[in-house]
Amino acid sequence: MKRLVEKHPLAIRWFHWLNFPILALMIWSGLLIYWANDVYRIGWGPTTLFKFFPDGFYKALGMPQKLAQGMNWHFALMWLFVINGLLYVGYTLVSGEWRHLLPDRNSFREAILVTLHDLGLRKGEPPVVKYNGAQKIAYTAVVLMGAGSLLTGLAIYKPVQFAWLMGLLGGYEWARAEHFILTVGYVLFFVVHIAQVVRAGWNNFRSMVAGFQMVDAQHPAAGEPVAGAPARSTTPTLPA
């Protein structure tokens, strides 16, 4: 027997779906800025294994010669990113959702087991909870990355006004590198997150769209009816 249970509150869903396009557009506009001075690579000495990014990458996406456009978009989107992030953090604190999201002492061990299961190296099913250990760590890390992006972004945007912050981050070059690394982290998170959503299937995706998911009656969350649905009576009915 299947039942509908509530999983994600409306506010969490709004913050999630607003943040996705905002962050995607910030990455795009950031690339327009980075194009003007694309100094990062993977390699050693004169040897380069991979350059961020090849000229063909920029040309394919129509990015060259759009520095001013990129800066305008990036700084405008920054405000939306910050406001949405602050509202999200504030909501999780006030509503108590942080209790579901914040990693605990068992989260790292649980994250390893979940990862092994997802890679097909472990047969045991992950614990049936709202957020498993891997998700708690990933979602908390993204919030911290958002704070890091804001601080490093302010430092490289206004290095004179935020000289004290620049010093804490190790100087302009270090702040810029840290900002870039965080951006790469977002891209990797997107890839893994979307792959996991596809792997989990429609029921999981629906929970972030409509707020509820379908579970077995024996599921631990089956006692949590959808908001607005009539509660089941636990009082036995006597025969007439």
Side-chain angles (χ1 to χ4, degrees):
M1 181 179 177
K2 299 286 187 179
R3 289 198 63 211
L4 287 177
V5 297
E6 188 175 20
K7 185 174 183 180
H8 298 298
L10 178 62
I12 293 293
R13 286 179 275 139
W14 268 102
F15 295 136
H16 174 275
W17 290 113
L18 284 173
N19 196 60
F20 183 81
I22 290 172
L23 190 52
L25 287 172
M26 286 203 72
I27 293 173
W28 165 75
S29 59
L31 283 171
L32 297 181
I33 299 171
Y34 175 72
W35 163 85
N37 187 22
D38 56 345
V39 296
Y40 301 123
R41 65 189 179 95
I42 297 176
W44 60 90
T47 303
T48 298
L49 299 178
F50 180 78
K51 181 178 183 296
F52 294 98
F53 294 93
D55 291 338
F57 172 82
Y58 297 117
K59 292 178 181 178
L61 297 178
M63 290 183 171
Q65 310 297 333
K66 293 183 179 179
L67 173 61
Q69 178 183 343
M71 293 180 69
N72 289 336
W73 273 105
H74 207 64
F75 300 142
L77 291 165
M78 174 193 71
W79 292 107
L80 298 178
F81 179 71
V82 171
I83 292 171
N84 191 59
L86 290 176
L87 289 175
Y88 170 77
V89 172
Y91 173 80
T92 57
L93 292 175
V94 172
S95 67
E97 280 290 311
W98 65 271
R99 295 185 180 90
H100 299 293
L101 289 163
L102 203 64
D104 54 37
R105 61 183 180 181
N106 298 318
S107 294
F108 290 94
R109 177 179 178 276
E110 187 178 305
I112 294 173
L113 298 178
V114 170
T115 302
L116 292 175
H117 173 268
D118 290 348
L119 293 175
L121 301 176
R122 185 174 183 271
K123 294 183 179 180
E125 289 292 328
V128 182
V129 290
K130 187 170 184 177
Y131 299 108
N132 60 49
Q135 291 171 319
K136 289 180 179 180
I137 293 171
Y139 298 155
T140 301
V142 167
V143 172
L144 296 176
M145 288 166 62
S149 293
L150 174 62
L151 295 176
T152 54
L154 287 174
I156 59 181
Y157 174 46
K158 297 287 187 179
V160 176
Q161 292 85 341
F162 292 99
W164 60 271
L165 179 58
M166 184 72 70
L168 290 176
L169 295 172
Y172 183 87
E173 295 301 329
W174 272 105
R176 186 172 185 243
E178 290 155 6
H179 197 72
F180 183 82
I181 291 171
L182 287 168
T183 303
V184 173
Y186 290 130
V187 174
L188 294 176
F189 174 82
F190 276 162
V191 171
V192 174
H193 186 58
I194 293 173
Q196 289 289 69
V197 169
V198 172
R199 183 177 182 275
W202 166 249
N203 191 39
N204 182 69
F205 179 76
R206 177 176 53 194
S207 69
M208 187 51 77
V209 176
F212 61 86
Q213 64 177 345
M214 190 78 72
V215 301
D216 293 326
Q218 295 79 17
H219 191 286
E224 303 172 8
V226 177
R232 291 186 301 172
S233 173
T234 57
T235 304
T237 303
L238 298 177

